[in-house]
Every structure is written in structure tokens, then in C-alpha cells.
Amino acid sequence: MKFFLAALLLTATAHPQQMAITFDDLPNHGEKPPSVTRVEIAQSILETIKLEQLPPVYGFINAAKVQADPITEPVLKAWRDAGQPLGNHTWSHPNLDDITAEAFEAEILKNEPMLKRYMPDQDWHWLRYPFLHEGDTLEKRRAVRVWLVEHHYQTAEVSMDFEDYLWNAPYARCVAKGDTAAIAKLHDSYLATADHYLTVFRTLSKMLYGRDVKYILLMHVGAFDAKMLPELLALYRKQGFSFISLQDAMTDPIYADDPDIGMRGGGAIQELMMEKRKLKFPPNSKPYKELEATCR
Ligand SMILES: [Zn+2]
């Protein structure tokens, strides 16, 4: 019995870090190889979610994409058939830095009929801000936040982000060229960057809150994201993480502490808090130039 308890404690202390996984831009994101369909990309992600036995994974939708390309609508059906929930990412993914609060609110409302259709009995009142832009002025930020509360929305915050989407376009180009060596490099840099930003966001959390938080990872429904998801989850598990739902993650009190600043360009919650408190970021970098040049 003592051994059993000790083993239990060891398990608990070996995996103290927690993270919710979320996907943006359903039904489609970014460039893809012509050999794979949008539904196949979603199915691949959903199969990994099932195999890994993840808690519910929210997919945030832009219904304008379904209207523009009706062939993508089965992505939403597949997501729901797999038992995964959908949330609101606005109708057409506008940049709140460039439009009024009223125009942004209309974008949220215009997206709702599609959510009602696919989530008749479940809670779709979760907003993920496009680009994580939450308002370039404090006045605009506050106006949208008040509107969200009045309309029973919660913000699906982000506290872990390595700009996963950057790899999708170079991957599509490399597949078209049949450049397997370049694809192997994309594989390595994707995982290395995810690992690097795991450290960066944990460092930010310790600077701001003195501890690890219940993290919320931002992902996108891209072709390379689907391909890399099993290895990405393995990396997080190796670093001591287990996976939780968005609702569970949002119980962390850090998400109730609104940064309450206008900030052009936006960011994850720790990035806004760092800006508010005028703290200096630890060194960090992403391979923007390398990715942009890959398979040209
Ligand atoms: Zn998005």
C-alpha cells in the first residue's frame, strides 16, 4: 500500500504541468498540398485527438469560409461527429485593430447561426479573437469586453503559442517540389520552436505569476499541423505536461485578471501583461526568414 501511494505521488509530481489544446480557423487554414483535402486534414487531427484520449478540443470557426467554399462544411460536421465542440472565431476573421467595436460585434453575431446549427445542445459561447487582437485602444477593448459579457460569451484565452501556422505554406511548397530533405527540416524546426516557446511561456508565467499556469495552446487546422500533432503532443508529454479541457484551464485565476490595456498587435495573455507591467522579454526567436525562403 505504501509503495502504491508513493508511486501515485511520484506520478502526480512527475506531470504537474497542464495544457488545453485549441484549434483556430475551421474549416480551413493556410496553404495545403493538393493531394490532401480539408476534410482529410480535419480527420487526421480528430484521429490524433481520439488516439491520445484528449479532453474536448474546441475548434473555433469562421462561417464565411464555409459560405465561400461549401465543400469545406463537412469539416464542421466531422468535428462534431467526433464529439469535439465548436466556438466563435467571428464570421470572416477581421482584425479588430482596423475596425470599430460595433463592426466586430456584428461579425460575432453573423457567425452564430452556423454554431447554433452544429452545437444545438452545447455551449458555443466562447470567443477566440482573430490574430489575438483584442483592441488597439483601451476604449475599444473595454467596449467589446462589455458586449461579450452581455451576450454571455467567455474569451477563449491563449497562454501558449509558437505560431504553429507558419509551417503550413512552406510545407505545401515542399510537397509540390517533392523535397523530402526540406520537409525533414520543417519537421525539426517545428518541434524545436514549439519546445523553445514552451520554455519562453513558462518563463513569462513565472515572471508574472511566480508559477506555471494552466496553459491554453493556440493551434490552427493546417496540413502540417495535422501531420505534426502526434509528435507535438509527445513533446509536451515528455516535458511533463498532461492535457485538460479549455473550461478546466480557464479556472486558473490568471484568466480573471484582465490586462486592461489597448495594444495594437495583441498577443497571448502573458504578452499583454508583460506590456502592461513594462517587463523585458526573455530572449526568443522564430525562423521566419528560413520558413519564408524554404522550397522557393
Ligand atoms: Zn484565426
Side-chain angles (χ1 to χ4, degrees), residues 18 24 37 39 42 60 65 86 91 93 133 139 145 157 163 196 215 218 221 246 250 257 261 274 277 281-282 292 295:
Q18 296 181 311
D24 280 17
T37 68
V39 177
F60 294 92
K65 292 177 180 173
L86 299 172
W91 168 253
H93 212 283
H133 291 180
E139 185 187 21
R145 296 249 158 191
E157 302 281 359
E163 293 188 86
H196 173 49
Y215 295 95
L218 168 60
V221 285
L246 174 64
M250 286 291 298
D257 186 13
I261 54 165
M274 293 291 286
R277 289 169 56 179
F281 275 76
E292 184 54 37
C295 290

Side-chain angles (χ1 to χ4, degrees), residues 23-26 28-29 60 62 65 89-90 93 128-132 165 218-220:
F23 279 89
D24 280 17
D25 298 2
L26 274 67
N28 63 46
H29 178 88
F60 294 92
N62 306 115
K65 292 177 180 173
H89 196 36
T90 75
H93 212 283
R128 169 67 47 74
Y129 284 84
F131 311 105
L132 305 185
Y165 61 90
L218 168 60
M219 295 281 292
H220 297 79

Side-chain angles (χ1 to χ4, degrees), residues 57-290:
V57 173
Y58 266 86
F60 294 92
I61 74 165
N62 306 115
K65 292 177 180 173
V66 175
Q67 189 182 67
D69 192 7
I71 201 171
T72 63
E73 184 159 351
V75 167
L76 306 187
K77 185 173 185 309
W79 207 266
R80 293 297 300 124
D81 285 349
Q84 306 303 336
L86 299 172
N88 202 332
H89 196 36
T90 75
W91 168 253
S92 67
H93 212 283
N95 182 348
L96 181 52
D97 287 352
D98 297 335
I99 63 173
T100 63
E102 292 75 17
F104 189 75
E105 291 151 14
E107 275 271 343
I108 297 170
L109 287 175
K110 198 173 176 186
N111 208 34
E112 289 186 351
M114 190 70 85
L115 288 161
K116 284 176 186 161
R117 186 184 314 167
Y118 283 99
M119 293 275 287
D121 308 316
Q122 271 191 290
D123 184 16
W124 45 264
H125 285 88
W126 288 87
L127 176 75
R128 169 67 47 74
Y129 284 84
F131 311 105
L132 305 185
H133 291 180
E134 300 182 356
D136 54 320
T137 66
L138 185 54
E139 185 187 21
K140 194 191 281 182
R141 178 189 179 87
R142 286 179 176 170
V144 173
R145 296 249 158 191
V146 166
W147 186 94
L148 289 174
V149 170
E150 285 171 359
H151 291 76
H152 313 293
Y153 273 92
Q154 282 186 273
T155 301
E157 302 281 359
V158 169
S159 50
M160 184 65 70
D161 178 17
F162 64 99
E163 293 188 86
D164 65 297
Y165 61 90
L166 291 168
W167 280 259
N168 289 309
Y171 173 62
R173 292 196 298 271
C174 293
V175 170
K177 292 181 105 178
D179 191 339
T180 50
I183 292 170
K185 277 190 187 168
L186 291 176
H187 165 279
D188 293 351
S189 70
Y190 185 96
L191 293 176
T193 307
D195 198 23
H196 173 49
Y197 278 86
L198 184 68
T199 302
V200 170
F201 276 93
R202 292 186 71 184
T203 303
L204 295 179
S205 299
K206 283 165 191 170
M207 288 172 74
L208 291 162
Y209 310 113
R211 62 177 174 86
D212 272 305
V213 302
K214 290 187 173 190
Y215 295 95
I216 302 171
L217 174 69
L218 168 60
M219 295 281 292
H220 297 79
V221 285
F224 200 61
D225 288 301
K227 183 180 164 66
M228 294 303 296
L229 187 58
E231 287 183 79
L232 179 68
L233 295 176
L235 181 153
Y236 289 137
R237 287 196 202 277
K238 192 173 152 226
Q239 297 289 10
F241 278 76
S242 59
F243 302 107
I244 55 175
S245 66
L246 174 64
Q247 282 89 343
D248 184 349
M250 286 291 298
T251 63
D252 191 308
I254 71 153
Y255 300 111
D257 186 13
D258 185 348
D260 197 36
I261 54 165
M263 185 172 156
R264 181 164 285 272
I269 190 166
Q270 298 100 323
E271 293 174 293
L272 269 63
M273 278 296 186
M274 293 291 286
E275 172 70 19
K276 175 163 190 160
R277 289 169 56 179
K278 301 291 171 211
L279 295 173
K280 192 172 177 295
F281 275 76
N284 69 95
S285 67
K286 295 188 187 98
Y288 293 112
K289 279 183 190 164
E290 293 87 337

